Amino acid sequence: MAGTRVAVWLVNNPSPEAPALTAVLRSYDVHEPAATAAEVRALRPWTRRLREVFEAGTVAEKAGCADALLIAADCRPRLVSHGNGLPFHFHYAPVRSSLASRVKALTAAGLAHMIDDGGGERLRACGRAGCGIVFADTSRNGRRRFCSVRCANQVNVTNHRLRQRRAAAR
Ligand SMILES: [Zn+2]
Ligand SMILES: [Zn+2]
């Protein structure tokens, strides 16, 4: 869902240039996505709260964080059409509210929907210590632990060396 993808992008790009944020929001059909530097700044504390959902250790903790985000964002879904037979779709905050408010409501809703769908444990931070990249695991078995093949390989090499050292010490 778009809200989850925007949340992932924001957590991994906490201080974006305004045009970069605009481009991402536009790619997910967010209304009037033109972001200003002030809105980017306004979203920074929000981004830290989004990260907490990915880093929480249990689904119950993730759900607690996401629920608090729904309240903080004053998320209230509405069905909106933009006229002339265009399809109805959810808006999570009124079209007229600020872009930062709409992004907050959208990202809170995205993470909450994912948890509601039973995908809470798929909201993860990379398993390589010090990486910090978060992702929504869309793999079939839901067992992806790393953000990238690069991180997975680094951890495998480190573990391999540790095993060799232990074997040599025997
Ligand atoms: Zn719309
Ligand atoms: Zn990583």
Side-chain angles (χ1 to χ4, degrees):
M1 181 212 172
T4 304
R5 299 208 187 99
V6 172
V8 166
W9 189 86
L10 271 175
V11 173
N12 291 334
N13 299 276
S15 302
E17 296 292 329
L21 176 59
T22 298
V24 167
L25 296 177
R26 181 170 290 128
S27 74
Y28 292 115
D29 288 332
V30 170
H31 257 275
E32 296 173 22
T36 62
E39 274 159 340
V40 168
R41 271 195 303 279
L43 283 170
R44 216 166 283 164
W46 185 255
T47 300
R48 283 192 284 273
R49 294 190 65 179
L50 292 175
R51 173 176 282 283
E52 289 171 6
V53 179
F54 293 88
E55 291 188 340
T58 66
V59 172
E61 283 166 11
K62 290 173 194 289
C65 292
D67 197 45
L69 292 179
L70 288 171
I71 295 163
D74 195 19
C75 183
R76 297 188 220 179
R78 298 151 179 86
L79 276 169
V80 176
S81 157
H82 300 288
N84 291 330
L86 289 169
F88 281 89
H89 53 277
F90 275 128
H91 276 210
Y92 296 96
V95 184
R96 283 199 195 89
S97 50
S98 73
L99 182 63
S101 305
R102 289 183 284 127
V103 168
K104 287 179 185 178
L106 175 69
T107 50
L111 299 182
H113 274 303
M114 185 117 178
I115 293 166
D116 175 69
D117 280 347
E121 62 193 15
R122 288 171 175 261
L123 300 170
R124 281 189 213 131
C126 179
R128 183 176 72 78
C131 171
I133 290 178
V134 304
F135 58 94
D137 181 3
T138 54
S139 68
R140 184 173 297 196
N141 64 13
R143 299 249 173 85
R144 194 178 140 200
R145 288 174 52 216
F146 301 101
C147 71
S148 60
V149 174
R150 198 160 158 260
C151 275
N153 285 343
Q154 276 190 38
V155 170
N156 285 339
V157 167
T158 306
N159 289 345
H160 181 69
R161 285 201 190 120
L162 277 175
R163 277 196 299 276
Q164 278 185 325
R165 225 173 286 155
R166 258 181 238 136
R170 258 181 224 135

